[in-house]
Amino acid sequence: MSTPISTISTISIIGAGGMATAIAGRSVKAGHVVEVIGRDQSKAQAFADKLGAGATTGTYGAEPKGDIVILAVPYGSAASVVADFGAALGGKVIIDITNPIAPDLSGLVSPNGSSGAQETAKGLPAGAHVVKAFNTLFGPVLAKGGRLDAFIAGDDGEAKARVATFLGSLGLRPLDIGALHMAQTLESLGLLMIGLAKNGAGTFDIAMHVDIGLAR
């Protein structure tokens, strides 16, 4: 039986970029211990040292300490990272934050009828469950704090519930949009947000918010 999120002490993050930094920062403030994992051990150690609050480093390719593992790498690296860990990710809840977007923003690079999250799920061992989350949020906005809407999609109900509770612990409002095939929609929304930031809004200091129960 898996451990309830309320008793989890460690959240593992693979990656050390802007989103990894923002998520790790909120996790530390929420009282979670963060395990930083990366191919470059010295870079991972520097990241953990900067986080403080008992942050640790893990060995790349070995079993992460956390039951929740955040895949905070570019989509183009996701498949190789999952392959490098292999069976070590068995039984884990994998949060996929990637956006499979073409460099020129012309569209998504995931196969037609699929999503980046679904492609990543194909490489995972039995018992691991992918939940799409964080891909519609920008790192600088996330790092500022505040209550933001965080959309999630996944096939396993328990995995989604655990991720929702984790997001809630970070001060975010989790909103479930359905099964993992809906990650295609979230990734399209990620593209929309980037296009909006570069054009209509003119800033990445934006976030999507859903008003529920508006007066008619």
Side-chain angles (χ1 to χ4, degrees), residues 26 137-146 148 204-207:
R26 287 187 81 130
L137 295 169
F138 294 127
V141 178
L142 192 61
K144 282 184 178 181
L148 303 169
F204 281 87
D205 193 12
I206 57 175

Side-chain angles (χ1 to χ4, degrees), residues 73-79 96 98-101 109-111 115-117 119-120 187:
V73 300
Y75 174 67
S77 303
D96 173 17
T98 68
N99 276 313
I101 295 173
V109 299
S110 50
S115 65
E119 294 305 300
T120 295
E187 290 164 5

Side-chain angles (χ1 to χ4, degrees), residues 168-179:
S169 77
L170 303 188
L172 304 174
R173 181 174 69 158
L175 293 172
D176 185 353
I177 73 160

Side-chain angles (χ1 to χ4, degrees), residues 50-209:
K50 186 175 180 179
L51 284 173
T56 65
T57 60
T59 301
Y60 184 81
E63 181 179 352
K65 292 185 176 69
D67 287 338
I68 289 182
V69 180
I70 300 172
L71 188 61
V73 300
Y75 174 67
S77 303
S80 63
V81 169
V82 166
D84 289 341
F85 279 82
L89 295 177
K92 304 292 185 180
V93 174
I94 311 297
I95 298 180
D96 173 17
I97 76 168
T98 68
N99 276 313
I101 295 173
D104 63 358
L105 304 185
S106 59
L108 302 177
V109 299
S110 50
N112 288 335
S114 186
S115 65
Q118 288 168 292
E119 294 305 300
T120 295
K122 292 176 182 178
L124 289 171
H129 299 288
V130 170
V131 176
K132 192 76 181 184
F134 289 111
N135 75 296
T136 60
L137 295 169
F138 294 127
V141 178
L142 192 61
K144 282 184 178 181
R147 190 162 173 80
L148 303 169
D149 286 348
F151 306 107
I152 63 174
D155 287 337
D156 185 82
E158 181 181 352
K160 282 200 292 187
R162 290 162 59 76
V163 170
T165 303
F166 168 60
L167 293 172
S169 77
L170 303 188
L172 304 174
R173 181 174 69 158
L175 293 172
D176 185 353
I177 73 160
L180 192 60
H181 74 270
M182 289 295 289
Q184 299 174 55
T185 303
L186 286 184
E187 290 164 5
S188 293
L189 179 56
L191 177 59
L192 181 151
M193 293 294 291
I194 293 172
L196 180 61
K198 288 180 171 290
N199 296 282
T203 176
F204 281 87
D205 193 12
I206 57 175
M208 185 71 69
H209 174 73

